[in-house]
Amino acid sequence: MRVFVTGATGWVGSAIVADLLAAGHHVTGLSRSAEKAFALEVLGAHALLGTLADLDRLARAADEADAVIHTAFDFANFPAGAAEDRQAIEAMGAALRGSDRPMLVTSGLAKLAPGRLATEDDAPDAAFARQSEAAAQAVRDRGGCIATVRLAPSVHGVGETHGFVPHLIRLAQRTGVSAFLGDGANRWASVHRQDAARLYRLALEQGVTETAYHAAADEGVPFRDIAAVIGGVLGVPVEPRGREHFGWFADFAGGDMAATSERTRRLTGWKPTGPGLLAEIAQAGYYAPVVGAGAGLPA
């Protein structure tokens, strides 16, 4: 297949590109800079310079592809990023309309089913700021072949410098305590980066038949266990703290974001093989690239 990938040089997108190429597919990746475009070319992909704001360019690239995988999102400016994300999905979806060529868009598991395991049948909170799934539904309502891959809150791997866990590591380094909210029993689903990448490919190869797929290997890791491993590696106390300790991150630190991927595995044959979250972050090597990295979440 000829696959167009947005966010092709990002944490998840770059792993998807490598996985697709290794499986014999042809990839065109969207890149915001010549330097990153060169990195794509070295891998064997074709690079397309542009951003999500270049709607005509996105539509042309989608029209020339057999499938589209959309992972790009501007977390640094969330409201504007959410609007840009929706417009990009609509533009690429319109280009694919009238065909059976599939498109996979990316979302997350936050606020799906607090207090229980979220399933692929659960719908996101309509008030949630990220509107990727609503945009996908609008494309689907117009006859598009489109589905959402919901990423676990932790997509981990050695080399990760952004995302939720690196943020917690930097917070513990700065404050001298690895903290949790309340009793820390709230759970995070997690998935290894390489496993997440493989799911996107399998969903395309098996035929996109669902509205949502769950990239969740660990169904739910208690947050206090995450804090305990971080504290152990850094040699700092592991203690409860109030919301003010976490600042803007408090809703995520206290969020219950557990999910099952049973249906996804059954339909696609996906079998996660990477290390679980706790085993991953227990490695001293996981922390080296986090030190001194920026505090933002992945773009």
Side-chain angles (χ1 to χ4, degrees), residues 259-296:
T260 176
S261 58
E262 181 181 349
R263 181 171 177 176
T264 294
R265 299 184 197 213
R266 185 176 69 251
L267 293 174
T268 65
W270 183 56
K271 296 179 181 179
T273 59
L277 176 60
L278 296 182
E280 184 81 77
I281 67 175
Q283 303 176 68
Y286 184 88
Y287 293 71
V290 176
V291 177

Side-chain angles (χ1 to χ4, degrees), residues 98-148:
S99 74
D100 59 358
R101 291 174 293 158
M103 178 176 174
L104 295 175
V105 305
T106 305
S107 188
L109 295 168
K111 297 188 177 182
L112 269 182
R116 64 172 174 82
L117 290 178
T119 75
E120 293 87 346
D121 289 329
D122 284 309
D125 184 343
F128 191 49
R130 184 167 180 170
Q131 294 293 301
S132 308
E133 295 206 40
Q137 183 61 56
V139 171
R140 193 159 42 247
D141 289 344
R142 293 191 289 269
C145 180
I146 187 169
T148 302

Side-chain angles (χ1 to χ4, degrees), residues 9-245:
T9 60
W11 177 242
V12 176
S14 60
I16 292 172
V17 169
D19 187 85
L20 288 169
L21 291 171
H25 299 292
H26 303 280
V27 178
T28 295
L30 185 69
S31 173
R32 292 178 296 179
S33 72
E35 180 182 4
K36 292 183 176 181
F38 178 74
L40 284 173
E41 299 280 1
V42 168
L43 286 176
H46 173 70
L48 176 66
L49 281 172
T51 71
L52 290 188
D54 300 320
L55 298 181
D56 289 342
R57 188 168 298 180
L58 295 180
R60 285 195 300 271
D63 188 47
E64 294 170 357
D66 299 315
V68 173
I69 294 177
H70 173 52
T71 70
F73 192 94
D74 184 4
F75 285 95
N77 187 358
F78 201 99
E84 186 178 66
D85 175 57
R86 181 167 195 140
Q87 292 168 355
I89 291 170
E90 291 173 347
M92 292 184 287
L96 297 172
R97 190 181 305 156
S99 74
D100 59 358
R101 291 174 293 158
M103 178 176 174
L104 295 175
V105 305
T106 305
S107 188
L109 295 168
K111 297 188 177 182
L112 269 182
R116 64 172 174 82
L117 290 178
T119 75
E120 293 87 346
D121 289 329
D122 284 309
D125 184 343
F128 191 49
R130 184 167 180 170
Q131 294 293 301
S132 308
E133 295 206 40
Q137 183 61 56
V139 171
R140 193 159 42 247
D141 289 344
R142 293 191 289 269
C145 180
I146 187 169
T148 302
V149 175
R150 293 169 176 164
L151 293 176
S154 173
V155 183
H156 56 269
V158 172
E160 182 184 9
T161 58
H162 296 81
F164 287 179
V165 172
H167 178 77
L168 291 173
I169 291 170
R170 287 188 291 269
L171 182 62
Q173 290 171 325
R174 187 171 71 250
T175 63
V177 60
S178 183
F180 53 88
L181 274 169
D183 63 3
N186 59 295
R187 302 158 299 166
W188 281 9
S190 72
V191 64
H192 193 274
R193 174 181 177 234
Q194 303 297 339
D195 287 327
R198 189 165 64 255
L199 175 57
Y200 282 86
R201 173 175 59 83
L202 288 173
L204 291 184
E205 292 176 344
Q206 297 295 327
V208 175
T209 59
E210 304 301 295
T211 59
Y213 298 91
H214 279 188
D218 292 323
E219 290 186 339
V221 182
F223 190 87
R224 63 172 174 264
D225 292 353
I226 300 171
V229 174
I230 293 173
V233 174
L234 296 179
V236 299
V238 180
E239 301 173 356
R241 287 289 189 273
R243 290 179 60 87
E244 66 280 357
H245 176 85

